[in-house]
């Protein structure tokens, strides 16, 4: 596994998003990479799948672009790269669909954040409502994947993005997805329990 990135350098990330927004994305990735707890079954520190896999994602682009179909509207675009390794494989020695779903879930959230932060000063990561994935072709050990995510819509409560995972090594589409998220409601004050 790749080591956790200790220093954040937004200058290595392409795209026209501000350095502050790029830093926020890199800090969010870093926070996911550091997730760990003590395993109840073994009593030893355990990072977990998300931390292990996220530590291998490399943010390469963060941009705000005019929509092709509606140039007066904007979309967020975020691109990550990752190399498939043996920890990501299923029993058939292909990249496990669940591992790929987790990568899509995390990566497709990022353009939603950068578009909100760039256009109205408030980025939102939201919580997932649905993640619809179509798996097109397998990815093998050593394959370099390019995960391209763009926003579809950002409303006051509903947020959506699309994602394509391209196999750079084999020049084919691995998966495509639509991710719908929502802004969670503020917790309501709880009423005292009745006896």
């Amino acid at each position: 596994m790749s080591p956790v990135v200790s220093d954040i350098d937004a200058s290595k990330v392409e795209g026209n998003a501000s350095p502050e927004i790029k830093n926020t994305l890199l800090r969010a990735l870093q926070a996911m990479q550091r997730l760990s707890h003590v395993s109840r079954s073994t009593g030893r520190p355990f990072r977990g799948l998300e931390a292990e896999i996220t530590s291998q994602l490399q943010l390469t682009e963060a941009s705000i672009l005019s929509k092709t179909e509606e140039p007066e509207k904007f979309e967020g675009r975020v691109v990550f790269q990752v190399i498939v390794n043996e920890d990501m494989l299923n029993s058939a020695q292909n990249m496990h669909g669940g591992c790929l779903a987790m990568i899509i879930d995390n990566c497709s959230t990022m353009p939603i954040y950068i578009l909100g932060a760039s256009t109205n000063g408030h980025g939102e990561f939201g919580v997932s409502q649905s993640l619809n994935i179509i798996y097109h072709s397998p990815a093998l050990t050593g394959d370099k994947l390019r995960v391209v995510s763009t926003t579809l819509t950002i409303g006051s409560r509903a947020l959506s993005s699309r994602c394509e995972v391209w196999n750079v090594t084999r020049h084919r589409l691995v998966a495509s997805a639509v991710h719908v998220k929502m802004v969670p409601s503020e917790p309501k004050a709880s009423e005292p329990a009745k006896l």
Side-chain angles (χ1 to χ4, degrees):
M1 293 293 161
S2 300
V4 174
V5 178
S6 60
D7 56 320
I8 294 175
D9 184 3
S11 68
K12 295 180 181 176
V13 179
E14 295 180 7
N16 65 359
S18 72
E20 294 80 21
I21 290 172
K22 291 176 182 178
N23 278 324
T24 299
L25 294 181
L26 291 168
R27 280 193 305 273
L29 282 174
Q30 195 174 55
M32 286 186 266
Q33 294 168 10
R34 288 188 178 142
L35 293 176
S36 67
H37 64 280
V38 175
S39 171
R40 284 186 244 172
S41 60
T42 66
R44 294 186 296 220
F46 177 72
R47 282 182 64 191
L49 179 65
E50 182 178 32
E52 292 296 329
I53 300 304
T54 303
S55 70
Q56 297 173 63
L57 292 173
Q58 179 187 4
L59 177 63
T60 62
E61 180 188 341
S63 299
I64 305 300
L65 308 168
S66 291
K67 281 189 168 285
T68 303
E69 300 302 323
E70 190 60 48
E72 293 180 11
K73 303 274 185 180
F74 295 100
E75 68 181 5
R77 173 184 161 93
V78 176
V79 180
F80 288 89
Q81 290 185 350
V82 65
I83 306 290
V84 178
N85 68 36
E86 63 185 25
D87 293 335
M88 300 175 182
L89 302 180
N90 60 21
S91 60
Q93 299 303 299
N94 299 318
M95 186 173 196
H96 193 288
C99 180
L100 189 54
M102 185 191 60
I103 288 171
I104 291 169
D105 183 3
N106 288 340
C107 292
S108 63
T109 298
M110 301 303 182
I112 292 170
Y113 175 84
I114 70 164
L115 183 59
S118 296
T119 58
N120 67 23
H122 177 69
E124 181 67 57
F125 288 106
V127 295
S128 294
Q129 276 190 315
S130 69
L131 181 59
N132 298 308
I133 302 172
I134 300 171
Y135 297 96
H136 302 279
S137 64
L140 307 173
T141 304
D143 287 354
K144 183 179 190 178
L145 304 182
R146 188 167 190 251
V147 184
V148 181
S149 301
T150 57
T151 53
L152 289 170
T153 61
I154 295 185
S156 60
R157 293 289 312 269
L159 317 161
S160 62
S161 64
R162 69 176 151 243
C163 182
E164 292 181 343
V165 180
W166 287 93
N167 189 324
V168 175
T169 306
R170 300 177 193 282
H171 308 286
R172 60 187 181 196
L173 184 63
V174 175
S176 57
V178 172
H179 193 180
V180 179
K181 303 193 81 160
M182 65 174 284
V183 177
S185 300
E186 291 294 321
K188 296 179 181 174
S190 60
E191 295 180 20
K194 294 182 182 181
L195 297 175

